[in-house]
Amino acid sequence: MNIIKQLVPIANGARAAKNSCKAASFCVSRLNHDSSVEVNSEEHEVVIALGSNVGNRLQNFEDALERMKKSGIQITRHGCLYETEPAYVTDQPHFLNSAVRAITKLDPHKLLGTLKEIERDMGRTAGIRYGPRPIDLDILFYGKQIVNTDTLTIPHERIWERPFVMGPLIDLLGRETDNDTIKSWHLLSRYSGGLFEAWEKLGGELLIGKDGMKRVLPIANRLWDWSTKTSIMGILNVTPDSFSDGGKFLSIDSAVSHVQSMLTDGADIIDLVALEAVKNGAHVINDVSAGQLDSNMRNVIAALKIPYIAMHMRGDPSTMQNHENLMYDDVCVDVASEMYARVRDAELSGIPAWRMIIDPGIGFSKNTEHNLDILMGLRDIRSEIGKKSLAVSRAPLLIGPSRKRFLGEICGQPNAAERDMATVASVTAGVLGGANIVRVHNVRANGDAVKLCDAMLQRRGKCS
């Protein structure tokens, strides 16, 4: 798509931006080395890149973001998290990279000074250029401004050659340009296709998982690359009212035995779906309402700094199948829109996109036809979310069709425990359609299906 043609018909890069201000509905302003620096009274949207390869890299990011917030830099969006091989100076540890969008009233040079002070306070010293550092904070964009002074260049001069910068930067965008500031960033890319074309010129999504650049999600004490294989979440119901196996695992001995069995059968994650479990060592929270049923849920998860599974549901468990909650114009489009809105609220509450896992909520406020449409439309859901946020659209996607009622309706199996074969079929469709995690009761049966699907997907990737 020709981004620039949509914005300024005659523009071609930063130089043309200056000449095209009168013709465009927005203008890229320029700050030269002899311009006076003033304190801004208005807010500007900025992009700041983060990098770290010394110490606890993720904790360094979290500390830096907290310090930025306290310094008048309001974080509004987070990119995905990337683990990357070092560039320029290669004999050093791997980096963690990301980027954030933020709002600030600090002028460009005061912003630079604030970021440099954060770097110093967190232990960064002069050291070797491009060498190891606990934190690296670079201004990529500042509003619509071009800055060219003795101490600061915006856009950052090396954006276009660095995949570890461009990847997180692209995550901060949606495929639909949402304001004039974003349009100006596309304009400054020097490409007719804007920042998207600049990313593709470097290799784009083909780089992920290759050439030392992995998109990862922090869980427990490791960074999880969910692209390498589909993960299986085994279900442990410790409540007596579960539709499938309620009451079977209420004792500690029976619960522990079942967990051990699921792990032996190939489960990567065990789902308790209980907030109290976090206090006893659980590493993820699965929120079936994406924050709708508990107004404090998002704040709790933000403070815990653990991955957040945000599931789509309308109403509550007692009302979710009411007539009004089953009304959709297009179930994939509507689910994507509603889920994005809730994830957006979570992000503004302090849960970064790099901790998000999304779940379209099969069986929750959906009828049989809706569930089938979702199983067949996972890529459509991702695509719809991607119009607003590429970071969220790239989050791990979880599905939970296991033993659900719609499978019984289709296959004539009123007994939930008899729906495992139908579950295998639905899991197969979901994995081939783009699911990264499957939530199931029968780990062993579905494990084989997942392995086969992964093998087919890997084969498809090698042949394409």
Side-chain angles (χ1 to χ4, degrees), residues 23 66 235 252 280 326 367 397 404:
E66 190 60 35
I235 300 170
I252 293 177
N280 293 287
L326 296 177
N367 61 28
L397 192 153
K404 292 285 175 67

Side-chain angles (χ1 to χ4, degrees), residues 12 28 95 115 118 123 133 143 163 174 180 188 196 201 261 291 348 412 417:
N12 183 16
V28 177
F95 276 84
L115 297 180
I118 292 172
R133 73 286 307 269
D180 284 349
L188 291 168
F196 299 130
K201 292 286 186 181
S261 175
L348 292 173

Side-chain angles (χ1 to χ4, degrees), residues 11 40 105 110 118 136 174 192 197 203 262 271 350 371 394 426:
N40 288 323
K105 288 186 177 182
K110 286 188 178 294
I118 292 172
D136 187 17
S192 62
E197 184 178 348
M262 288 192 289
D271 182 17
N371 292 318
R394 290 166 175 167
S426 62

Side-chain angles (χ1 to χ4, degrees), residues 134-171:
I135 195 69
D136 187 17
L137 303 172
D138 287 324
I139 306 170
L140 304 185
F141 290 109
Y142 184 96
K144 304 173 187 176
Q145 293 191 23
I146 296 172
V147 180
N148 186 14
T149 70
D150 293 338
T151 57
L152 181 61
T153 301
I154 301 176
H156 192 283
E157 57 189 340
R158 292 190 178 271
I159 291 178
W160 324 111
E161 67 185 50
R162 296 176 172 177
F164 59 86
V165 174
M166 283 298 299
L169 170 60
I170 293 298
D171 292 337

Side-chain angles (χ1 to χ4, degrees), residues 146 222 249 293 309 461:
I146 296 172
R222 67 188 182 95
F249 309 113
L293 299 182
I309 301 174

Side-chain angles (χ1 to χ4, degrees), residues 253-270:
D253 288 344
S254 63
V256 171
S257 176
H258 189 51
V259 168
Q260 290 174 337
S261 175
M262 288 192 289
L263 292 174
T264 299
D265 288 341
D268 302 288
I269 308 167
I270 303 298

Side-chain angles (χ1 to χ4, degrees), residues 275-349:
L275 180 58
E276 287 298 313
V278 175
K279 298 178 181 178
N280 293 287
H283 300 121
V284 185
I285 285 185
N286 187 357
D287 181 6
V288 297
S289 73
Q292 299 300 292
L293 299 182
D294 184 349
S295 59
N296 194 44
M297 176 69 79
R298 290 187 287 258
N299 292 328
V300 168
I301 296 169
L304 290 170
K305 293 181 169 57
I306 60 175
Y308 176 47
I309 301 174
M311 193 192 81
H312 177 270
M313 179 177 69
R314 291 175 172 177
D316 58 45
S318 65
T319 65
M320 65 182 184
Q321 298 302 115
N322 288 357
H323 177 73
E324 58 270 24
N325 286 329
L326 296 177
M327 297 297 293
Y328 296 93
D329 293 326
D330 180 312
V331 67
C332 289
V333 171
D334 294 348
V335 165
S337 177
E338 293 169 24
M339 191 158 52
Y340 171 71
R342 295 169 194 177
V343 167
R344 184 80 185 109
D345 288 341
E347 187 170 23
L348 292 173
S349 298

